[in-house]
């Protein structure tokens, strides 16, 4: 939410997802407007390779893990492959090597779709690779929803100002 409170509430998370949905809609509209100019094999390959490299190995490792823990390398792979920065570099390299083409819209469509539709963002090491609510987050969100987290601090600040 800000530099001192690194969490999202359900409302702010939905608003961030809405912003990505706008990007998804723009990218999809551009793709649809140029349907006849899209090399669909290239578009499909660019769309799928992100998960083939960045998600599938971690998901398989998670599925086969006896304790639910997997090496951090899977998180790094996911985060690198699902990074807008990485995929921008991929697109720029593609343009340099092969030229610009509408199939490159598969990259933002994949990333914006993951964020807007599925709510999947980059993965921190401290949570399960596959989405499972972390017990500490469950406790925190319950306290926050009940209005007990942070209010005491805010009330002290208000009292200090009024004196």
């Amino acid at each position: 939410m800000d530099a001192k409170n690194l969490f999202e509430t359900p409302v702010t998370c939905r608003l961030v997802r809405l912003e990505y949905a706008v990007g998804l809609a723009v990218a999809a509209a551009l793709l649809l407007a140029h349907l006849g100019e899209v090399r669909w094999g290239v578009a499909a390959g660019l769309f799928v390779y992100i998960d083939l490299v960045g998600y599938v190995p971690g998901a398989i490792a998670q599925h086969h893990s006896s304790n639910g823990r997997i090496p951090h390398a899977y998180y790094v792979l996911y985060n690198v492959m699902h990074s807008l920065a990485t995929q921008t570099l991929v697109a720029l390299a593609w343009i340099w090597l092969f030229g610009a083409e509408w199939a490159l819209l598969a990259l933002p469509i994949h990333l914006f779709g993951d964020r807007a539709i599925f709510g999947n963002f980059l993965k921190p090491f401290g949570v399960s690779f596959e989405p499972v609510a972390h017990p500490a987050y469950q406790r925190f969100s319950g306290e926050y929803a009940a209005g007990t987290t942070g209010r005491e601090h805010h009330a002290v600040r208000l009292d200090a100002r009024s004196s």
Side-chain angles (χ1 to χ4, degrees):
M1 290 178 24
D2 61 40
K4 300 291 183 184
N5 300 287
L6 301 176
F7 66 91
E8 297 287 348
T9 66
V11 171
T12 58
C13 186
R14 283 193 295 274
L15 290 172
V16 170
R17 289 176 69 179
L18 177 62
E19 290 183 355
Y20 280 104
V22 170
L24 175 60
V26 169
L30 284 169
L31 191 73
L32 290 173
H34 298 278
L35 277 177
E37 301 169 67
V38 176
R39 291 194 307 154
W40 289 103
V42 171
L46 289 169
F47 187 89
V48 170
Y49 103 98
I50 294 171
D51 280 344
L52 287 179
V53 174
Y55 170 70
V56 172
I60 291 170
Q62 178 87 51
H63 180 73
H64 288 96
S65 171
S66 60
N67 62 5
R69 295 184 204 163
I70 62 173
H72 287 172
Y74 293 111
Y75 290 81
V76 172
L77 270 175
Y78 181 92
N79 290 341
V80 167
M81 293 306 296
H82 287 83
S83 165
L84 287 166
T86 299
Q87 298 313 321
T88 297
L89 293 175
V90 167
L92 290 172
W94 187 280
I95 291 167
W96 184 65
L97 292 169
F98 307 110
E101 62 178 297
W102 294 110
L104 289 168
L105 287 168
L107 299 171
I109 288 171
H110 182 120
L111 299 180
F112 294 166
D114 273 358
R115 288 167 170 90
I117 296 167
F118 303 112
N120 291 330
F121 292 85
L122 301 179
K123 296 182 181 292
F125 295 141
V127 299
S128 173
F129 189 83
E130 292 291 340
V132 175
H134 192 284
Y137 179 76
Q138 288 178 313
R139 286 189 305 275
F140 166 77
S141 71
E143 289 177 18
Y144 186 87
T148 59
T149 302
R151 290 197 187 258
E152 298 82 12
H153 178 68
H154 187 40
V156 170
R157 291 172 88 197
L158 287 176
D159 291 342
R161 285 187 198 158
S162 61
S163 4

